[in-house]
Amino acid sequence: MAETSHVLRAQPLLTRPELLSRPDSDLSRDAILAFIEEERAAGREPGRRDIAKAFQLDGGGKIWLKRLLRELELEENGGTGPVKPHSALPAVLLCEVKTRDREGDLIAVPLEWNEADQGEAPKILLERQRDMRRQPKTAAAAAPGVGDHVLLKLTKLRGVEGYQWSGRALKVMGKAKAQVLGIFRALPDGSGRLIPVDKKAQGREAIIPKGQTANAEDGDLVSVSFARESRFGPPQARVRERLGSLKSERAVSLIAIHAHGIPNEFSPATLAEAEAAKPATLAGREDWRALPLITIDPADAKDHDDAVHAAPDDDPDNPGGHIVTVAIADVASYIRPGSALDREALERGNSVYFPDRVVPMLPERISNDLCSLRGGEDRPALAVRLILKADGSKKSHSFHRIMMRSAAKLSYQQTQAAIDGKPDDLTAPIRDSILMPLWAAYGSAARARDARQPLDLDLPERKLVLDANGKVTRVIVPERLAAHRLIEEFMILANVAAAETLEKASSHLIYRCHDEPSLEKMRALGEVLASISIKLPKDGALRPVLFNRILAMIKGSENELLLNEVVLRTQAQAEYVAENYGHFGLNLRRYAHFTSPIRRYADLIVHRALVAALKLGDDGLPKATTLAELREVATRISAAERRAMAAERETTDRLIAHFLADQIGSSFDGRIAGLNRAGLFVKLDGTGADGFIPASTLGADYYRHDERAHALVGDRTGESWRLGDRVHVKLVEAAPVAGALRFELLTEGRPATSDRSGKRSRPALPMGRKQGRPPPKRSGRKR
């Protein structure tokens, strides 16, 4: 790309009226065009008189304005009508920044553009911000970003492949409205209608006029922008982009991918780097290929980034101790800082796992081939050797850059069966020599974990079983095996060792931190516990053991699942940070993610930091890396993690709604998992599907939300439904595209309580409400 395309300059935009009297002034021309575009963006069509009034033009200025509009071919009806758009792109244009190209430059398109009439929208190359470093730091020179609406001064380009226009940001008008996604349904006359994918927008469809469909086909997932709404009829929209067909459930995850802006296609530069990567050699590495490390993963795993080994420690000073080795794929040897692979991995932040697909952080050439610890193949790894005492506490550890060769690829189920005395052909030869030493070392590590007393939640995770077409056939809760805990405990030990080593070396790193619950959440938990006659201690330091004691008290009771979920909601969200404040849930002072660099960028940073701190190669974290830079990286990857979690959850909801869509009218058992003044949220047994019961359908009463009791209470009858109550419901509506379910309640609520006199007690009335007066009218609620 020609560098000259980024050094085009113009003077700062000024709009002082005294400058507008200069007929040859480029500044005044920009100001007039900017005003016209801003007015159109606000839905107004300015005329010559409107422009003259806005800029306080005198007689000479008005003559100059008339000549300027004529020169620019912005013809208007005798000065009484609105100015008309130029047939070509004007000198100043309101645009939307759509994306970045492979060089990292921002690309914009005109905000208002009808492809049916005008053809493909022109791509406008924005000048790089660094080329405007001498510009004054005003609103006109603010740095635009993807999604911004920005006023651009356009210049015709020559000799720049793929672009005809360059744009300099005069003013950032603000962020574009959130992307509105929906399913396009074609109508016979060439128009269409939009079925929104957002649960909150269900029932609010839009019309897409003929010529505004961007050639979308029936069943396509599309992005739209809305025109000004009419008083009558549904709103009108136009298709901005076709995002793919949703003819089958296999494409349902496309909705979440595009709704959350998850990058799902690698750039050509990234793919080219991945394909050009050569297998790592033994040079500069320790040869550990004789050590029988093994991988233990889910049966359907395609990449294997961690391997383990354990053996008794023969050191007489460590009786009953173990040597545990955790080897992690050496991704840092293939992903160099600043490369195309590195930039895209940072943008993605992590891999995203949907029931029907995976959106990986790295191309398959890296994740499923060069960095996958395949059985019997040489692979580079970063390994930590942990010396554990008999009680499981760590005596010492050391990191090594190695070449390894996995002795076996096992699943959790295979491993557990072998440990339980039921080995198969693959595990039988290695049971006594490899698996049982691992089990013994885990026994010691588990004792140390129990002494540490981390938060011990027991929440079953549902898994969707799909057929070849991506359709859900059943929903299962996989059994939680000791083999899962074995791997998890060894990974935690490795992560702690990485954080300790880097702290000792005074190296910057990215920590995985988890704050203690807020006071507000603890109060809410106390209210829930009080409703089942459990008192939350008010004194003493807040520790995970407090929650463990609560969970132990209700284990085996009808409230067990409810309290596990409530305790989970009480916890803060874990995050990546560059400055450590500890991990509350694990009850650890320092913790970092080291064990999954294939699918988490945080781990790649930790690997690079270890390589640099321990002088294990020249591909470590650059010496110039600052704490501020790592803070920014931590913020970005924390946001990417939250984005992935939301996308995964929404896709699961949509697939389950598809699964239940043909069971309208069927009844199910479930539990009230949440409530507010609008109604009840119910989680079904078995599938774990979430649905809603509007308060207006509960009965012939007005139901008020009692926040302290976590209940909806009838004003007249005193009947109530509380958080955690078991209910029987009927499915009355399913919206698969939005992942929304609506139920009808078949269970009667709790009766009103009675006081000692035998009279039925009524819930306390809100302040200002007199006894006997009817409640205020509220739309959509029965009384």
Side-chain angles (χ1 to χ4, degrees):
M1 183 177 299
E3 185 64 26
T4 55
S5 66
H6 302 307
V7 294
L8 301 168
R9 291 195 173 277
Q11 296 297 319
L13 177 62
L14 300 175
T15 56
R16 302 207 315 269
E18 61 266 26
L19 292 178
L20 296 174
S21 61
R22 296 166 51 190
D24 59 345
S25 172
D26 287 336
L27 298 177
S28 58
R29 179 176 302 192
D30 287 353
I32 296 297
L33 291 171
F35 173 78
I36 293 171
E37 289 299 328
E38 289 181 5
E39 289 292 288
R40 286 182 178 147
R44 297 183 288 271
E45 294 294 340
R48 187 204 306 168
R49 293 178 181 175
D50 299 316
I51 300 172
K53 182 178 180 180
F55 289 95
Q56 305 174 22
L57 298 182
D58 56 15
K62 291 178 181 177
I63 295 173
W64 167 81
L65 175 63
K66 181 177 180 180
R67 185 166 60 248
L68 174 65
L69 295 177
R70 187 183 302 118
E71 288 175 358
L72 296 177
E73 299 181 16
L74 298 175
E75 300 174 357
E76 30 80 38
N77 300 322
T80 60
V83 295
K84 295 182 179 180
H86 195 287
S87 57
L89 292 184
V92 177
L93 182 64
L94 187 62
C95 300
E96 180 182 353
V97 182
K98 294 288 287 185
T99 186
R100 292 182 184 270
D101 65 10
R102 68 181 64 179
E103 303 295 331
D105 296 305
L106 292 169
I107 307 300
V109 297
L111 186 63
E112 296 297 330
W113 191 270
N114 189 332
E115 293 196 352
D117 297 333
Q118 299 171 273
E120 183 179 358
K123 295 180 180 179
I124 302 166
L125 181 67
L126 269 69
E127 296 178 31
R128 291 181 179 174
Q129 190 68 12
R130 68 167 181 263
D131 295 324
M132 299 187 288
R133 55 187 174 271
R134 292 194 293 270
Q135 298 281 347
K137 293 185 177 181
T138 64
V146 175
D148 282 351
H149 289 175
V150 59
L151 201 62
L152 296 179
K153 178 177 175 59
L154 302 185
T155 304
K156 192 76 172 177
L157 287 177
R158 305 185 192 284
V160 181
E161 184 179 354
Y163 304 101
Q164 294 181 313
W165 300 90
S166 169
R168 179 173 66 84
L170 299 177
K171 185 177 182 181
V172 176
M173 309 297 291
K175 286 288 182 184
K177 292 182 179 179
Q179 186 174 211
V180 179
L181 299 179
I183 306 302
F184 178 81
R185 293 302 180 195
L187 298 176
D189 63 354
S191 64
R193 60 188 178 93
L194 180 81
I195 301 175
V197 301
D198 188 349
K199 288 183 181 182
K200 297 179 181 178
Q202 283 301 294
R204 299 199 295 272
E205 297 184 2
I207 296 299
I208 302 174
K210 184 178 181 180
Q212 302 289 322
T213 65
N215 299 317
E217 298 180 358
D218 188 74
D220 278 356
L221 175 66
V222 295
S223 168
V224 305
S225 59
F226 283 89
R228 285 168 289 179
E229 294 192 18
S230 171
R231 289 185 179 181
F232 309 101
Q236 291 193 353
R238 67 181 179 90
V239 175
R240 296 167 54 197
E241 188 178 2
R242 295 172 60 190
L243 302 173
S245 176
L246 291 178
K247 296 292 186 181
S248 71
E249 287 89 344
R250 182 169 290 280
V252 166
S253 52
L254 279 176
I255 297 175
I257 288 171
H258 290 287
H260 292 278
I262 296 173
N264 67 323
E265 292 185 3
F266 289 105
S267 69
T270 300
L271 292 174
E273 278 190 7
E275 291 303 317
K278 303 297 183 184
T281 65
L282 187 59
R285 300 178 182 276
E286 299 177 46
D287 189 351
W288 286 20
R289 288 176 291 183
L291 185 70
L293 290 150
I294 63 170
T295 62
I296 304 176
D297 293 289
D300 55 355
K302 293 183 179 179
D303 56 64
H304 311 277
D305 56 1
D306 57 82
V308 292
H309 177 268
D313 188 2
D314 56 8
D315 184 348
D317 293 333
N318 188 29
H322 296 85
I323 301 175
V324 175
T325 302
V326 178
I328 307 298
D330 190 358
V331 177
S333 64
Y334 296 104
I335 314 297
R336 296 298 179 113
S339 64
L341 277 165
D342 182 51
R343 292 196 303 271
E344 189 142 5
L346 174 57
E347 182 181 2
R348 295 179 178 227
N350 48 251
S351 298
V352 188
Y353 294 85
F354 298 106
D356 62 332
R357 72 176 73 198
V358 175
V359 180
M361 186 181 80
L362 299 170
E364 287 192 8
R365 167 67 173 160
I366 302 295
S367 60
N368 291 3
D369 184 5
L370 295 177
C371 287
S372 185
L373 306 181
R374 296 175 177 173
E377 297 186 20
D378 292 357
R379 287 291 183 268
L382 198 58
V384 57
R385 178 170 282 164
L386 304 152
I387 311 299
L388 303 184
K389 298 179 183 178
D391 62 1
S393 61
K394 179 166 63 68
K395 182 178 180 182
S396 65
H397 70 268
S398 60
F399 281 88
H400 308 261
R401 211 168 193 185
I402 68 169
M403 184 67 73
M404 60 160 286
R405 182 181 296 163
S406 174
K409 182 187 79 169
L410 305 181
S411 70
Y412 288 112
Q413 290 75 16
Q414 272 182 302
T415 304
Q416 190 65 56
I419 290 172
D420 293 341
K422 302 175 183 177
D424 58 17
D425 292 342
L426 180 59
T427 57
I430 61 174
R431 180 180 184 272
D432 294 336
S433 59
I434 298 177
L435 295 181
M436 296 315 293
L438 274 171
W439 182 247
Y442 166 64
S444 294
R447 287 192 290 275
R449 178 200 64 207
D450 293 343
R452 191 177 79 242
Q453 295 188 313
L455 183 61
D456 189 17
L457 287 170
D458 185 16
L459 288 170
E461 294 186 10
R462 55 183 170 168
K463 180 177 181 180
L464 308 187
V465 179
L466 310 181
D467 62 16
N469 298 317
K471 185 175 181 179
V472 178
T473 58
R474 58 198 174 103
V475 182
I476 63 173
V477 177
E479 182 183 3
R480 179 79 168 156
L481 303 173
H484 290 99
R485 295 184 181 275
L486 180 153
I487 293 298
E488 287 176 4
E489 197 59 37
F490 289 161
M491 296 304 112
I492 290 172
L493 290 172
N495 288 337
V496 171
E500 290 177 349
T501 295
L502 291 174
E503 277 196 1
K504 186 177 180 180
S506 300
S507 172
H508 293 322
L509 72 147
I510 289 180
Y511 294 90
R512 179 66 167 179
C513 288
H514 178 224
D515 208 354
E516 65 181 28
S518 66
L519 182 60
E520 182 182 0
K521 288 186 175 182
M522 289 302 295
R523 284 175 181 153
L525 174 62
E527 291 173 359
V528 175
L529 292 173
S531 70
I532 57 174
S533 302
I534 296 178
K535 187 176 181 180
L536 182 66
K538 295 182 179 180
D539 300 324
L542 194 57
R543 295 284 186 268
V545 66
L546 169 65
F547 299 101
N548 293 340
R549 289 171 182 166
I550 293 170
L551 297 174
M553 292 172 64
I554 51 87
K555 191 170 183 63
S557 72
E558 63 175 358
N559 294 311
E560 180 178 5
L561 182 58
L562 165 70
L563 260 296
N564 270 273
E565 291 182 352
V566 171
V567 168
L568 177 64
R569 295 178 191 179
T570 303
Q571 305 307 310
Q573 188 169 29
E575 63 178 346
Y576 293 108
V577 295
E579 292 160 303
N580 182 38
Y581 62 82
H583 199 294
F584 176 81
L586 293 174
N587 199 14
L588 291 169
R589 293 178 58 190
R590 57 189 62 82
Y591 189 67
H593 271 169
F594 159 76
T595 54
S596 294
I598 284 178
R599 61 185 179 90
R600 294 188 306 227
Y601 193 82
D603 303 56
L604 179 55
I605 292 290
V606 170
H607 274 232
R608 288 173 176 164
L610 288 166
V611 169
L614 301 177
K615 297 179 173 53
L616 299 176
D618 61 357
D619 47 1
L621 196 66
K623 291 183 179 179
T625 303
T626 65
L627 186 62
E629 289 173 330
L630 287 186
R631 285 196 198 105
E632 181 182 352
V633 171
T635 299
R636 291 180 64 179
I637 60 181
S638 292
E641 180 186 46
R642 291 190 290 271
R643 174 182 68 185
M645 291 170 63
E648 291 166 357
R649 181 176 61 250
E650 290 172 11
T651 299
T652 297
D653 288 344
R654 290 187 175 102
L655 287 170
I656 289 182
H658 272 280
F659 177 58
L660 295 176
D662 59 355
Q663 299 184 49
I664 302 294
S666 300
S667 58
F668 304 90
D669 290 319
R671 184 184 296 274
I672 296 176
L675 49 85
N676 58 28
R677 59 189 301 177
L680 306 174
F681 298 90
V682 174
K683 183 181 288 290
L684 300 186
D685 296 343
T687 62
D690 295 296
F692 184 63
I693 303 174
S696 59
T697 67
L698 291 179
D701 201 346
Y702 173 71
Y703 289 91
R704 181 168 45 84
H705 181 207
D706 186 336
E707 294 187 27
R708 183 174 294 274
H710 293 272
L712 284 182
V713 184
D715 261 359
R716 181 174 56 83
T717 63
E719 185 182 36
S720 66
W721 285 273
R722 289 170 45 179
L723 185 69
D725 282 354
R726 299 287 306 171
V727 291
H728 194 60
V729 299
K730 181 172 73 173
L731 178 62
V732 295
E733 184 180 358
V737 168
L741 302 172
R742 185 165 65 84
F743 300 128
E744 177 184 317
L745 191 61
L746 303 179
T747 304
E748 292 185 359
R750 294 169 179 257
T753 58
S754 299
D755 59 22
R756 292 182 180 179
S757 65
K759 296 180 180 179
R760 189 180 67 187
S761 62
R762 293 165 55 89
L765 296 173
M767 292 182 64
R769 177 91 60 84
K770 292 183 179 180
Q771 187 75 21
R773 291 183 59 185
K777 292 183 179 180
R778 303 195 186 187
S779 59
R781 300 286 180 86
K782 293 184 179 179
R783 298 170 177 81

